[in-house]
Amino acid sequence: MDKVIVREASLKDLKDLLRFEQELIEAERPFDPTIRPSPLHYYDLEKLIKDKQIGIYVAEYKGKLISSGYGMARKARHYLDHEEYAYLGFMYTVPEYRGKGVNFMILDALKMWVNKQGLTELRLTVYDENIPAIKAYEKAGFQKHIVEMRLREK
């Protein structure tokens, strides 16, 4: 898409990001019966924006926010060949802009942030039944790695 601007998020973006968060929660509900009823929040978005150790990016088109994502360093398990990795989250694109490369632009900005942090391993989580998201991440070079399984006892 032409004229999409990807930039670091600021507090002036908070209202739109809070809306993105609620839309993301609603989009994920069909994949996860354990998500509590609303109102709820996945993130403390104001804290994420203010935290200089976290890279939170937005895509803007014609003055309107259309996508988001963040990266943060996390400690790796002690037996892995890296001490930290970049965890990517809050990956959201407004539905009418999906499939247009906007998520790739956010991922590119996050990859640059990851490189500045000196990290080489990137990870994210996606619901197994979210086939469009999985295909998009695979197209960006991600590979399935671990399947998390669950069982709810009565």
Side-chain angles (χ1 to χ4, degrees), residues 9 13-25 28 41-46 48-49 54-59 65-72 74 87-94 103 106-107 110 123-125 137:
D13 301 318
L14 192 55
K15 182 178 175 183
D16 287 324
L17 294 175
L18 287 166
R19 180 176 45 84
F20 284 5
E21 179 188 35
Q22 294 308 305
E23 291 173 10
L24 179 62
I25 290 167
E28 291 184 341
H41 292 279
Y42 282 171
Y43 315 104
D44 182 341
L45 290 168
E46 184 173 347
L48 289 178
I49 292 168
I54 295 172
I56 181 165
Y57 290 86
V58 294
L65 290 191
I66 61 171
S67 191
S68 64
Y70 75 74
M72 67 172 57
R74 287 191 175 171
Y87 177 79
L88 308 184
F90 195 31
M91 305 300 295
Y92 178 78
T93 301
V94 172
N103 190 51
I106 293 286
L107 285 170
L110 288 168
R123 296 184 181 214
L124 54 79
T125 56
Y137 295 128

Side-chain angles (χ1 to χ4, degrees), residues 12-147:
K12 71 180 177 78
D13 301 318
L14 192 55
K15 182 178 175 183
D16 287 324
L17 294 175
L18 287 166
R19 180 176 45 84
F20 284 5
E21 179 188 35
Q22 294 308 305
E23 291 173 10
L24 179 62
I25 290 167
E26 290 310 310
E28 291 184 341
R29 280 189 190 285
F31 304 121
D32 191 342
T34 67
I35 296 174
R36 289 191 325 249
S38 292
L40 76 124
H41 292 279
Y42 282 171
Y43 315 104
D44 182 341
L45 290 168
E46 184 173 347
K47 183 178 176 182
L48 289 178
I49 292 168
K50 289 179 177 178
D51 190 332
K52 299 302 176 195
Q53 303 298 314
I54 295 172
I56 181 165
Y57 290 86
V58 294
E60 186 179 313
Y61 181 65
K62 296 183 178 180
K64 176 184 173 186
L65 290 191
I66 61 171
S67 191
S68 64
Y70 75 74
M72 67 172 57
R74 287 191 175 171
K75 292 274 185 217
R77 292 184 179 104
H78 71 279
Y79 53 81
L80 297 178
D81 68 359
H82 51 281
E83 291 184 24
E84 290 186 315
Y85 64 95
Y87 177 79
L88 308 184
F90 195 31
M91 305 300 295
Y92 178 78
T93 301
V94 172
E96 58 263 33
Y97 296 97
R98 292 179 188 161
K100 299 178 190 242
V102 178
N103 190 51
F104 289 120
M105 294 176 191
I106 293 286
L107 285 170
D108 283 343
L110 288 168
K111 286 177 185 177
M112 287 190 286
W113 178 86
V114 166
N115 288 332
K116 287 179 186 174
Q117 307 309 306
L119 302 170
T120 57
E121 178 83 11
L122 289 83
R123 296 184 181 214
L124 54 79
T125 56
V126 60
Y127 287 103
D128 188 52
E129 295 175 8
N130 191 347
I131 303 303
I134 291 170
K135 286 183 180 182
Y137 295 128
E138 287 175 339
K139 190 174 179 183
F142 286 85
Q143 299 173 337
K144 288 183 182 179
H145 181 62
I146 293 175
V147 175

